[in-house]
Amino acid sequence: MSDTSCYILDNGGYTAKVGFSYMEPKIVPNCIMKAKSERRRPFIGSQIDECRDASGLFYILPFQKGFLVNWDTQKTVWDYIFSKECCPVNFSEVPLIITEPIFNFSSIQEAMTEIFFEEYECQSLLRVNATDLAEYHYRKLHNNESTLVVDSGYSFTYIVPYIKGKKYKEGIRRIDVGGKVLTNHLKEILSYRQLNVMDETYVINQVKEDSCFVSQDFMGDMEIAKKKGSENTIVKDYVLPDYTTIRRGYLRDIVKPDEDLEQQTLRLNNERFSIPELLFHPSDVGIPQMGIPEAIINSIDACPEENKESLLENIILYGGSTLFPGFRDRVFNEVRAFALDHYDVNVTLAENPLTYAWEGGKHIFRDPEFYSFCMTKEEYEEEGRALAFERFDI
């Protein structure tokens, strides 16, 4: 096996982060997309960049509710990722680190082990939770005892306490709100208020990424959003892409009534901050769960008394939904308000929230014990699936 490099695949519900440990990761959409403009051709992963007109884009996703269920789709995307077109690899020479969700179903775990050993002929495999890699990354940098990992992604948000590098299972909390819920909610309220965009998942996802932010004072911002004229500092226009001159929409100051504008725009007012608010109040859309700061405290309360202080001092946020401006500050302020006064609270937003777990894979590969975490093809052929369940703590 290669001692110099390792192939890391952080297989997320929306994007897969992939690459060898000595290079920068590529971020590939983990789905197959079909466009109205080109009926015959499915776009796999990054091929979407070649699509001339991405309006009315139709997604076929391998992940549903955060778990891998569409194997045909996933296999097509993996074949694309491992091909010359994206990030070619020969699994007989390099070990593979692949991520999967926490408490993944055993049937999915079995299928995954089987596909990589039998179809891709992997020599050595490490299946691991993305939060494990994120925690390892954080611990290598800070040398701390306990870490609380908050992974806010596409399908859900997980809050996972680690004590001495091990998951503390009683403290794990899952909130069923991620980027997908936010985009869908934005689609619904825009369709209700202005323009039917129910088929425009791709474009509205970009609207969300470009214009939403987390409010530090929700009611105060609501008041500002009600004001008229220049007093309203929140209202903006989003110029929609027309796919002839504009490939991606952008935010601009509101169009004056006498101004002549060719493109179609969306007027965004309180949507800009009420969408990410769902991460803090899922009950706004009828999901009877706690918001992130409350769940963080609830998770820490389930942990042993002697670790609580260290957990509050080492909260790390990563994942695509943490990219909203103001996200870290809001989490910090609310956790600080919930926590007891004599504890210090420290919340860190990962330097690059999308690739943070992938970078953790780089660190874990350099661990002298790395190969003892892995499972080899020989072991798989001798002992079969049972060993995989023992070896990988999912």
Side-chain angles (χ1 to χ4, degrees):
M1 292 305 289
S2 157
D3 286 334
T4 52
S5 75
C6 160
Y7 195 81
I8 307 163
L9 171 58
D10 179 4
N11 198 47
Y14 182 63
T15 52
K17 280 66 71 178
V18 56
F20 286 96
S21 53
Y22 54 79
M23 59 193 245
E24 285 299 303
K26 281 187 178 167
I27 299 179
V28 182
N30 193 2
C31 53
I32 300 174
M33 291 157 273
K34 290 187 173 169
K36 286 180 177 166
S37 54
E38 300 174 54
R39 296 258 159 165
R40 293 212 179 87
R41 173 179 175 194
F43 296 94
I44 304 162
S46 305
Q47 292 174 347
I48 189 58
D49 298 339
E50 301 158 25
C51 178
R52 289 194 304 275
D53 182 353
S55 59
L57 205 64
F58 180 73
Y59 281 89
I60 306 165
L61 298 162
F63 281 79
Q64 292 293 328
K65 294 202 163 48
F67 294 103
L68 209 177
V69 286
N70 294 337
W71 286 98
D72 298 348
T73 310
Q74 184 63 83
K75 190 115 178 13
T76 309
V77 178
W78 279 344
D79 289 341
Y80 162 78
I81 289 175
F82 305 146
S83 72
K84 289 195 172 62
E85 213 178 320
C86 182
C87 198
V89 58
N90 177 357
F91 284 127
S92 57
E93 292 165 7
V94 290
L96 167 72
I97 299 177
I98 183 163
T99 64
E100 55 182 324
I102 291 189
F103 298 141
N104 199 3
F105 296 106
S106 47
S107 54
I108 302 177
Q109 293 188 44
E110 281 179 11
M112 211 153 173
T113 312
E114 192 176 305
I115 282 178
F116 280 101
F117 281 131
E118 296 183 12
E119 295 197 32
Y120 291 116
E121 298 194 338
C122 214
Q123 284 307 307
S124 157
L125 172 73
L126 171 60
R127 280 199 350 249
V128 66
N129 296 135
T131 49
D132 293 359
L133 296 181
E135 186 271 342
Y136 192 89
H137 187 171
Y138 186 87
R139 190 159 40 107
K140 273 282 164 279
L141 298 177
H142 297 82
N143 208 358
N144 55 318
E145 189 175 281
S146 315
T147 316
L148 188 84
V149 180
V150 179
D151 169 2
S152 189
Y154 179 64
S155 319
F156 50 66
T157 298
Y158 260 119
I159 290 151
V160 189
Y162 284 83
I163 295 168
K164 297 196 173 79
K166 287 267 178 284
K167 281 193 285 289
Y168 187 73
K169 298 221 162 122
E170 284 77 14
I172 298 179
R173 298 290 178 267
R174 163 176 163 148
I175 304 168
D176 296 318
V177 177
K180 189 177 186 174
V181 171
L182 303 186
T183 301
N184 286 342
H185 188 53
L186 182 57
K187 272 196 319 198
E188 281 177 20
I189 60 178
L190 286 175
S191 301
Y192 182 64
R193 292 174 185 176
Q194 316 185 40
L195 183 68
N196 181 5
V197 289
M198 288 311 284
D199 295 341
E200 302 294 342
T201 313
Y202 184 77
V203 176
I204 299 303
N205 196 52
Q206 291 182 337
V207 174
K208 178 193 75 175
E209 289 173 4
D210 295 342
S211 47
C212 287
F213 64 92
V214 173
S215 164
Q216 303 304 318
D217 167 17
F218 186 74
M219 282 317 183
D221 282 346
M222 268 301 185
E223 288 306 315
I224 296 173
K226 284 178 189 167
K227 291 181 175 165
K228 297 275 184 286
S230 58
E231 289 184 4
N232 185 343
T233 50
I234 289 171
V235 68
K236 294 269 190 237
D237 274 342
Y238 189 86
V239 179
L240 291 165
D242 55 10
Y243 295 106
T244 47
T245 51
I246 308 174
R247 260 218 55 98
R248 181 173 181 138
Y250 57 91
L251 212 56
R252 52 155 292 168
D253 289 330
I254 54 176
V255 181
K256 310 268 185 312
D258 54 351
E259 190 180 339
D260 209 24
L261 194 69
E262 305 280 297
Q263 297 93 0
Q264 199 171 17
T265 59
L266 286 172
R267 177 72 43 99
L268 297 168
N269 197 2
N270 62 19
E271 296 90 347
R272 291 187 59 201
F273 57 88
S274 62
I275 295 295
E277 191 64 22
L278 299 184
L279 291 162
F280 299 87
H281 296 282
S283 54
D284 289 356
V285 284
I287 298 173
Q289 294 177 340
M290 298 178 279
I292 292 176
E294 202 182 335
I296 288 176
I297 294 297
N298 188 284
S299 164
I300 291 177
D301 282 345
C303 296
E305 197 63 46
E306 64 270 22
N307 302 104
K308 288 182 183 177
E309 193 171 354
S310 173
L311 285 165
L312 279 166
E313 285 173 7
N314 297 287
I315 300 174
I316 173 78
L317 313 171
Y318 81 99
S321 294
T322 62
L323 288 163
F324 291 113
F327 184 86
R328 185 222 149 259
D329 297 346
R330 171 79 179 266
V331 171
F332 172 78
N333 292 336
E334 293 206 4
V335 171
R336 177 64 277 177
F338 279 131
L340 295 171
D341 287 350
H342 59 275
Y343 286 142
D344 283 339
V345 174
N346 183 13
V347 178
T348 314
L349 177 62
E351 192 180 345
N352 184 341
L354 290 179
T355 56
Y356 193 75
W358 188 93
E359 300 283 346
K362 240 161 69 165
H363 289 291
I364 214 165
F365 173 65
R366 296 196 195 109
D367 191 304
E369 308 254 292
F370 174 71
Y371 283 106
S372 70
F373 309 144
C374 291
M375 181 170 172
T376 61
K377 196 165 194 275
E378 288 79 49
E379 290 176 318
Y380 173 74
E381 281 162 358
E382 272 173 39
E383 309 201 26
R385 299 166 178 163
L387 180 69
F389 286 117
E390 279 172 42
R391 184 74 47 94
F392 305 128
D393 171 31
I394 295 304

